[in-house]
């Protein structure tokens, strides 16, 4: 069958018939406090295990509560199966109690969805859902089941793989790259003098990290890893340039801008990466590999489009390189290391009496983390600092909301990740704003004994919005102040069954983190009081060209525009 | 509604399931693609229906529209029909407000266009014409001076020309 070991959910009227058998089922059910939490937990679980996360909720308000995680999973191609209850078939269309048009509402945020009107179709539709969620470009699939369909008698059957494939005549993902295009890609690779590998989340989805390392090492081409691909290539590898994009590091951005060949692998030229599209990597030829044909040419016309599974295509390219002489990229790499030396990530050191530096908290958290720690994050400044300052050396250790940018993602996603990888330490780095959106799931974590750890970078602000207001709205701060101690995060966390600490003194950062790391029987929350004036640098202002990346004011921005 | 170079016809074979049309129109709305006309009909195989879409390819490339459509799980096959390679037909029904004196002129024109009179009243006739969309445009222009009371067109259906089909 589908080998589901855990389901995240919350029951209600229409889904009741599906909940009764859970009492006798080997499947673990995790009772959430809000259905959004169930969805993000399913995502967190899927991110770290590669297996589809499953959410089970009732009709109407429960289904609408699931819309945000579905959209999140859709944007980030996360395999997920959502099962929603629906009013009985005779009631559908009459505005029955807790009726809503779930398939209508979720159509544009799912890879596919289906309302089951015939109980005999349940097995096939379930099998289709898991196949669709996990193959091709992964994504969320929703199954809506009317209550009377759940209660009906049906003839049991379990369709074979062939029957499932045959039942989807319009679904045939292309996995293997076109041989001529592979050859052409190899030729461009052999000709390039300033190439950059632009690795996206598709590398992780296709489990291609090893293949990527082979390609990089065989060619000596430096690699940038997007926000969705952190960990797909080790940060401590000499060829790794880190994250590109709006808050990427100077070198990653500038290397792409100056490149003559972008090898785009499982990535979609998101506006947060490209900046102004017209001036993005203007001299670069593009090899674009993606399993979703619609991504090729959507934003940037590739010179060599390759539809296929990243892992397979990369291996095919590596094989095609075998008989080619590859250029020496020493000169290009030394230009790159020049940028790395001149423009490393930078923040001003802490001054006695000031609040904590959020970047410093991240560094201590990183340096104290046990081997293999999984990091989840919310959305905002803290997310960018987490991505910038962590060292991701292993795939599937970074769980974040990239495409949708969903505040409130981190706590439930971390819970899902910990359920999927109970052997790992799981830290959630959260903002004070984000934390207030889904913190109630810590009750779930406590009662289900899922010992995650949460570091709140509490700057008393919707910090990312504050940063934009400071930089682009003349410091007119409109509705971004949150207060550092309302709520009292320590009391709140304790009320939810967690161990909680507050840290204001830089001297305490390390010992308190060490204490948190030693607790393994319940969730831990640390309220770090951080400096609200800190901004995330570098920054490419929205709509600006990547040539105009703004570095930290203390770093000399002179001659930052690099000419060939 | 003549075939403008910025218009193109897509013939989309879809699974014959409820909600498929909503998926297609939802996709067009969400991605900002423009549908100019749309016609749906069953095929000889009851598992499938054929959707004929005339799209505006001025803003978005036909390639992007086709690729996005193909991502819909229920879409089985898409054929781009270039006007030169396709036979296209459309059906028009029209009620013309026409006095008994002028009725014969209208009937004559309907005859030239190989149409039919489907209903006659004292001061109006309802006519039906099938043909190439361009021809229907011409017919509409000719009827306008008499006074078009009601007009309904089906949107075009299209098939590849027989000698092009394998
Ligand atoms: C659900 C949702 N609402 C609004 C936003 C817009 N937004 C992006 S970042 C941000 C501020 C987040 O504040 P906080 O969690 O405190 O993080 P900080 O930036 O301060 O680190 C907001 C409001 C969003 N991304 N998601
Ligand atoms: Mg904040």
């Amino acid at each position: 069958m589908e080998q589901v070991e855990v389901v995240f959910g919350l029951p209600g009227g229409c889904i009741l018939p599906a909940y009764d058998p859970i009492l006798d089922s080997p499947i673990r059910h995790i009772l959430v406090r809000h259905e959004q939490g169930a969805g993000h937990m399913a995502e967190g679980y899927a991110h770290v295990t590669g297996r589809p996360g499953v959410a089970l909720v009732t009709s109407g308000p429960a289904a609408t509560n699931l819309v945000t995680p579905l959209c999140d999973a859709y944007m980030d191609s996360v395999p997920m199966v959502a099962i929603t209850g629906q009013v009985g078939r005779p009631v559908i269309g009459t505005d029955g109690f807790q009726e809503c048009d779930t398939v209508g509402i979720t159509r544009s945020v799912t890879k596919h969805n289906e309302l089951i009107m015939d109980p005999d179709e349940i097995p096939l539709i379930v099998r289709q859902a898991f196949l669709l969620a996990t193959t091709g470009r992964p994504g969320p699939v929703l199954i809506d089941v009317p209550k009377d369909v759940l209660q009906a008698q049906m003839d049991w059957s379990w369709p074979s793989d062939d029957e499932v494939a045959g039942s989807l005549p319009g679904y045939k993902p292309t996995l293997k790259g076109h041989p001529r295009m592979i050859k052409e890609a190899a030729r461009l690779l052999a000709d390039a003098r300033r190439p950059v590998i632009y690795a996206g989340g598709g590398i992780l989805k296709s489990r291609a990290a090893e293949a990527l390392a082979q390609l990089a090492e065989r060619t000596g081409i430096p690699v940038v890893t997007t926000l969705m691909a952190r960990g797909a290539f080790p940060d401590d590898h000499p060829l790794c340039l880190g994250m590109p994009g709006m808050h990427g590091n100077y070198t990653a951005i500038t290397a792409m801008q100056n490149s003559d060949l972008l090898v785009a692998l499982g990535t979609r030229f998101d506006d947060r990466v490209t900046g102004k599209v017209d001036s993005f990597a203007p001299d670069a030829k593009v090899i674009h590999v993606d399993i979703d044909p619609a991504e090729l040419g959507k934003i940037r016309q590739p010179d060599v489009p390759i539809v296929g599974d990243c892992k397979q295509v990369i291996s095919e390219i590596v094989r095609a390189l075998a008989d080619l002489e590859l250029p020496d990229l020493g000169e290009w790499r030394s230009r790159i290391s020049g940028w790395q030396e001149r423009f490393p990530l930078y923040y001003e050191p802490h001054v006695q009496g000031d609040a904590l530096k959020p970047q410093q908290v991240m560094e201590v958290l990183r340096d104290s983390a046990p081997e293999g720690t999984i990091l989840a994050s919310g959305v905002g400044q803290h997310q960018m600092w987490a991505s910038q300052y962590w060292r991701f050396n292993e795939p599937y250790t970074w769980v974040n909301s990239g495409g949708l940018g969903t505040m409130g993602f981190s706590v439930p996603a971390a819970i899902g990740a910990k359920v999927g990888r109970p052997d790992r330490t799981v830290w959630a780095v959260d903002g004070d704003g984000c934390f207030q959106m889904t913190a109630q799931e810590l009750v779930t974590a406590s009662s289900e004994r899922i010992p995650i750890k949460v570091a709140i970078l509490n700057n008393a602000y919707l910090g990312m919005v504050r940063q934009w207001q400071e930089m682009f709205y003349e410091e007119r701060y409109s509705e971004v102040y949150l207060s550092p101690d309302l709520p009292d995060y320590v009391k709140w966390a304790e009320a939810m069954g967690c161990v909680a600490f507050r840290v204001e003194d830089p001297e305490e950062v390390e010992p308190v983190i060490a204490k948190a790391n030693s607790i393994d029987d319940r969730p831990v929350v640390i309220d770090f009081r951080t400096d609200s004036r800190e901004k995330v640098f570098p920054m490419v202002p929205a709509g600006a060209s990547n040539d105009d990346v703004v570095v930290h004011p203390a770093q000399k921005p002179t001659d930052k525009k690099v000419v060939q | 509604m003549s075939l403008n170079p910025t218009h193109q016809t897509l013939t989309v074979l879809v699974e014959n399931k409820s909600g498929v049309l909503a998926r297609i129109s939802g996709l067009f709305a969400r991605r900002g693609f423009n549908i100019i006309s749309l016609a749906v009909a069953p095929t000889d195989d009851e598992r499938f229906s054929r959707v004929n879409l005339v799209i505006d390819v001025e803003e978005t490339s036909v390639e992007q529209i086709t690729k996005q459509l193909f991502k819909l799980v229920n879409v089985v096959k898409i054929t781009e029909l270039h006007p030169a390679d396709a036979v296209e037909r459309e059906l028009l029904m029209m009620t013309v407000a026409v006095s008994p004196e002028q009725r014969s002129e209208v009937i004559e024109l309907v005859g030239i266009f190989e149409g039919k009179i489907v209903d006659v009243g004292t001061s109006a006739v309802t006519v039906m014409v099938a043909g190439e969309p361009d021809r229907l445009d011409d017919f509409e222009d000719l009827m306008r001076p008499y006074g078009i009371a009601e007009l309904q067109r089906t949107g075009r259906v299209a098939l590849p020309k027989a000698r092009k089909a394998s």
Side-chain angles (χ1 to χ4, degrees):
Chain A
M1 305 228 201
E2 299 298 347
Q3 263 115 46
V4 173
E5 49 177 30
V6 59
V7 165
F8 305 92
L10 191 148
C14 289
I15 198 74
L16 267 171
Y19 265 83
D20 187 69
I22 285 180
L23 282 173
D24 308 317
S25 162
I27 295 177
R28 178 180 183 192
H29 181 275
I30 290 176
L31 176 62
V32 300
R33 266 47 177 181
H34 186 293
E35 290 85 355
Q36 182 186 359
H40 292 320
M41 286 178 205
E43 288 187 86
Y45 176 89
H47 269 289
V48 300
T49 62
R51 293 197 297 276
V54 180
L56 178 66
V57 308
T58 192
S59 65
T64 56
N65 277 347
L66 209 54
V67 170
T68 300
L70 286 170
C71 190
D72 193 275
Y74 188 63
M75 293 287 271
D76 287 345
S77 308
V78 182
M80 172 175 166
V81 173
I83 300 167
T84 49
Q86 182 55 276
V87 297
R89 283 169 294 179
V91 185
I92 288 180
T94 66
D95 305 315
F97 178 64
Q98 293 194 328
E99 179 184 2
C100 80
D101 174 15
T102 303
V103 290
I105 290 171
T106 59
R107 195 169 282 136
S108 68
V109 295
T110 50
K111 180 171 173 182
H112 189 64
N113 63 15
E114 206 76 65
L115 169 65
I116 304 187
M117 291 299 275
D118 174 358
D120 286 329
E121 285 195 331
I122 293 175
L124 180 63
I125 290 177
V126 168
R127 288 226 61 195
Q128 288 175 338
F130 279 87
L131 180 80
L132 291 169
T134 53
T135 56
R137 180 176 182 167
V141 178
L142 180 139
I143 304 172
D144 199 23
V145 205
K147 186 171 188 176
D148 63 326
V149 169
L150 286 171
Q151 288 165 323
Q153 293 285 323
M154 46 100 62
D155 288 325
W156 174 255
S157 65
W158 192 246
S160 68
D161 289 354
D162 285 348
E163 280 167 322
V164 180
S167 71
L168 297 166
Y171 184 72
K172 287 184 203 77
T174 305
L175 301 180
K176 201 171 148 7
H178 192 291
R180 205 180 45 168
M181 290 294 148
I182 301 281
K183 242 190 177 153
E184 191 56 22
R187 198 182 60 77
L188 285 193
L189 281 163
D191 281 352
R193 293 298 176 270
R194 302 189 308 280
V196 172
I197 294 174
Y198 161 25
I203 296 284
L204 294 171
K205 299 299 169 355
S206 73
R207 311 200 90 72
E210 231 168 273
L212 171 63
Q214 270 176 19
L215 177 67
E217 277 163 14
R218 166 79 179 86
T219 57
I221 301 178
V223 180
V224 303
T225 50
T226 67
L227 182 65
M228 291 313 297
R230 305 290 289 130
F233 189 70
D235 275 337
D236 65 6
H237 194 289
L239 289 171
C240 190
L241 308 185
M243 180 174 73
M246 180 173 270
H247 292 297
N249 71 69
Y250 182 91
T251 304
I253 296 167
T254 308
M256 286 173 103
Q257 282 306 90
N258 287 275
S259 71
D260 65 354
L261 176 67
L262 280 182
V263 188
L265 305 173
T267 193
R268 59 186 177 83
F269 292 78
D270 181 78
D271 54 82
R272 286 302 190 257
V273 168
T274 61
K276 193 162 167 250
V277 176
D278 297 341
S279 55
F280 173 61
D283 302 328
K285 292 206 160 130
V286 173
I287 299 169
H288 193 174
V289 181
D290 205 287
I291 198 155
D292 179 355
E295 289 304 340
L296 307 183
K298 185 182 80 177
I299 305 291
R300 168 97 170 224
Q301 207 55 49
D303 298 271
V304 181
I306 307 180
V307 180
D309 173 70
C310 269
K311 185 171 167 181
Q312 207 163 323
V313 172
I314 295 171
S315 312
E316 286 160 358
I317 293 177
V318 171
R319 241 173 285 134
L321 287 172
D323 347 308
L324 290 176
E325 179 135 3
L326 293 177
D328 174 16
L329 301 175
E331 198 185 315
W332 173 230
R333 281 195 302 268
S334 75
R335 261 177 86 187
I336 287 174
S337 43
W339 295 322
Q340 282 172 321
E341 274 159 37
R342 272 200 3 249
F343 298 106
L345 282 176
Y346 177 82
Y347 63 93
E348 242 140 38
H350 178 262
V351 177
Q352 186 77 40
D354 277 0
L356 303 170
K357 290 286 174 187
Q359 302 92 331
Q360 192 186 352
V361 175
M362 275 314 307
E363 288 180 315
V364 179
L365 200 61
R366 171 195 71 202
D367 295 339
S368 321
E371 186 77 20
T373 293
I374 290 167
L375 187 67
S377 101
V379 171
Q381 291 182 311
H382 61 281
Q383 174 190 29
M384 293 298 114
W385 288 316
S387 174
Q388 289 178 337
Y389 285 91
W390 201 260
R391 257 192 311 271
F392 295 98
N393 285 327
E394 209 192 314
Y396 314 109
T397 54
W398 171 234
V399 180
N400 101 121
S401 165
L404 195 62
T406 308
M407 286 176 71
F409 178 80
S410 75
V411 167
I415 293 171
K418 182 74 182 169
V419 170
R421 294 303 306 263
D423 54 322
R424 299 289 184 98
T425 299
V426 178
W427 270 101
V429 170
D430 216 356
D432 45 327
C434 290
F435 185 77
Q436 293 186 59
M437 291 203 176
T438 49
Q440 79 286 344
E441 296 311 335
L442 284 170
V443 179
T444 307
S446 294
S447 60
E448 296 275 348
R449 303 219 164 273
I450 305 163
I452 63 159
K453 308 179 200 306
V454 184
I456 306 173
L457 301 187
N458 176 4
N459 54 6
Y461 275 95
L462 297 169
M464 186 56 95
V465 185
R466 183 191 191 278
Q467 173 166 349
W468 286 47
Q469 291 179 347
E470 179 182 335
M471 295 174 73
F472 312 118
Y473 290 85
E474 298 159 344
E475 300 178 42
R476 287 163 54 84
Y477 298 118
S478 174
E479 305 298 324
V480 286
Y481 180 67
L482 296 176
S483 156
D485 40 25
L486 181 66
D488 181 325
Y489 294 97
V490 169
K491 282 191 189 153
W492 189 12
E494 284 170 353
M496 293 189 287
C498 307
V499 180
F501 307 98
R502 173 166 300 130
V503 179
E504 288 167 295
D505 177 355
E507 298 295 316
E508 279 179 36
V509 172
E510 211 241 271
V512 173
I513 289 175
K515 203 183 274 170
N517 277 330
S518 71
I519 296 171
D520 207 27
D521 60 346
R522 71 191 79 181
V524 187
V525 174
I526 310 178
D527 170 16
F528 290 103
R529 295 297 173 87
T530 61
D531 191 337
S532 55
R533 296 165 303 180
E534 272 307 314
K535 294 197 284 291
V536 185
F537 287 112
M539 175 172 195
V540 179
S545 158
N546 280 356
D547 289 328
D548 300 324
V549 49
V550 180
V551 293
H552 191 284
Q555 293 174 305
K556 277 210 212 77
T558 47
D559 70 5
K560 75 181 166 56
K561 265 197 188 162
V562 187
V563 272
Q564 308 286 325
Chain B
M1 221 188 55
S2 68
L3 204 67
N4 185 305
T6 66
H7 295 178
Q8 188 148 345
T9 305
L10 295 181
T11 302
V12 185
L13 190 69
V14 299
E15 285 183 79
N16 190 3
K17 284 188 154 179
S18 72
V20 175
L21 205 55
R23 287 183 208 279
I24 292 177
S25 56
L27 172 76
F28 273 69
R30 178 167 109 70
R31 301 256 174 208
F33 305 155
N34 247 326
I35 304 183
I36 291 161
S37 92
L38 181 145
V40 195
T43 62
D44 52 352
D45 183 335
E46 65 177 14
R47 290 171 303 160
F48 304 112
S49 295
R50 185 172 282 112
V51 180
N52 270 291
L53 287 162
V54 180
I55 53 173
D56 184 346
V57 292
E58 188 144 52
E59 306 266 296
T60 321
S61 74
V62 65
E63 181 184 327
Q64 183 58 208
I65 295 176
T66 308
K67 284 170 164 180
Q68 292 293 352
L69 269 176
F70 203 62
K71 276 170 73 170
L72 297 176
V73 169
N74 301 131
V75 168
V76 179
K77 191 178 165 200
I78 304 176
T79 321
E80 282 175 41
L81 278 180
H82 297 280
D85 300 335
V87 278
E88 297 180 312
R89 290 294 180 272
E90 191 176 354
L91 178 72
L92 167 155
M93 282 173 53
M94 179 191 284
T95 300
V96 192
V98 63
S99 58
E101 297 80 64
Q102 286 184 308
R103 194 183 286 150
S104 59
E105 289 175 33
V106 169
I107 291 172
E108 190 181 331
L109 285 167
V110 170
I112 293 172
F113 280 81
E114 294 167 64
K116 276 198 179 122
I117 307 292
V118 288
D119 196 22
V120 185
T122 43
S123 56
V125 288
T126 299
V127 306
M128 178 185 88
V129 183
E132 288 168 21
D134 276 357
R135 292 261 296 162
L136 300 189
D137 292 345
D138 296 343
F139 180 74
E140 229 183 283
D141 289 344
L142 286 167
M143 286 298 117
R144 198 159 290 121
Y146 297 99
I148 299 174
E150 299 235 43
L151 172 67
Q152 182 78 51
R153 292 174 65 156
T154 57
R156 67 190 73 202
V157 293
L159 281 178
K161 285 183 180 164
R163 65 190 141 81
K164 302 265 177 185
S166 50

